[in-house]
Amino acid sequence: GFVYAEAVVVLCLKKLSKAKKDGDYIHAVIKGTAINSGGKTHGYTVPNATAQTKLIQTALERSRLKPEDIEYVETHGTATKLGDPIEIKALSDLFKHPLAIGSVKSNMGHSEACAGFAGLVKIILQYQNAILYPSAHALPANPYCGFDTNTLNVVIQKQ
């Protein structure tokens, strides 16, 4: 279920050309962003499936990436019977290839306004260290998402 968390994330953003010119160490490059509001839904932790799919499509278009270019998605992860399957459905509608997913919220809780930035930091650290950090409480898998529990177990145990 929903677990509150407190967090602070500080990001220093700079145009790529300026960072290169200044000789800065570049941790990551943000290729594109998208934001939405699901509008009217059935509750606070229930995303809008259509809005989720459109959001992902918009982010891919703005970044000039194709779904097959993506190997990992840091999910919102509401940890609810209804919310997670909606998010997984939106991902499944666009990504037809094997895709690693995770959610920092399973490890730290939902830090409200900071949640997206915490996920971004997790992604950067995963790529810097060439590892997928395991998500806490991933097993048993949410039965409403249709995951193969044996596959999930292998991935988690390898971490």
Side-chain angles (χ1 to χ4, degrees):
F2 190 92
V3 177
Y4 289 102
E6 292 185 18
V8 174
V9 173
V10 176
L11 298 173
C12 296
L13 303 178
K14 190 186 269 191
K15 286 188 174 186
L16 182 59
S17 58
K18 176 87 168 114
K20 286 180 177 178
K21 182 180 175 189
D22 293 346
D24 294 338
Y25 181 84
I26 300 167
H27 293 276
V29 175
I30 298 173
K31 292 183 159 254
T33 63
I35 189 169
N36 75 351
S37 173
K40 184 171 175 52
T41 65
H42 295 287
Y44 180 61
T45 61
V46 182
N48 177 311
T50 303
Q52 287 281 310
T53 302
K54 287 181 182 178
L55 175 68
I56 298 166
Q57 287 174 320
T58 300
L60 287 170
E61 289 167 7
R62 289 181 180 173
S63 62
R64 295 186 181 118
L65 293 170
K66 298 175 282 189
E68 55 270 17
D69 295 328
I70 306 300
E71 298 174 343
Y72 175 84
V73 172
E74 179 70 13
T75 65
H76 180 69
T78 61
T80 63
K81 288 191 239 183
L82 188 55
D84 285 350
I86 290 171
E87 188 171 15
I88 295 303
K89 169 85 169 85
L91 292 171
S92 298
D93 286 347
L94 293 169
F95 299 99
K96 303 301 182 193
H97 60 287
L99 185 68
I101 63 170
S103 176
V104 73
K105 287 187 204 137
S106 66
N107 297 76
M108 64 178 269
H110 191 317
S111 57
E112 301 280 332
C114 188
F117 291 127
L120 179 58
V121 170
K122 178 185 169 196
I123 292 167
I124 293 168
L125 289 171
Q126 286 182 149
Y127 277 98
Q128 286 179 342
N129 295 295
I131 187 171
L132 290 177
Y133 296 118
S135 294
H137 315 293
L139 293 175
N142 183 334
Y144 301 98
C145 289
F147 290 130
D148 176 354
T149 303
N150 292 327
T151 302
L152 284 175
N153 194 23
V154 169
V155 171
I156 291 167
Q157 295 303 319
K158 285 186 179 177
Q159 302 301 321

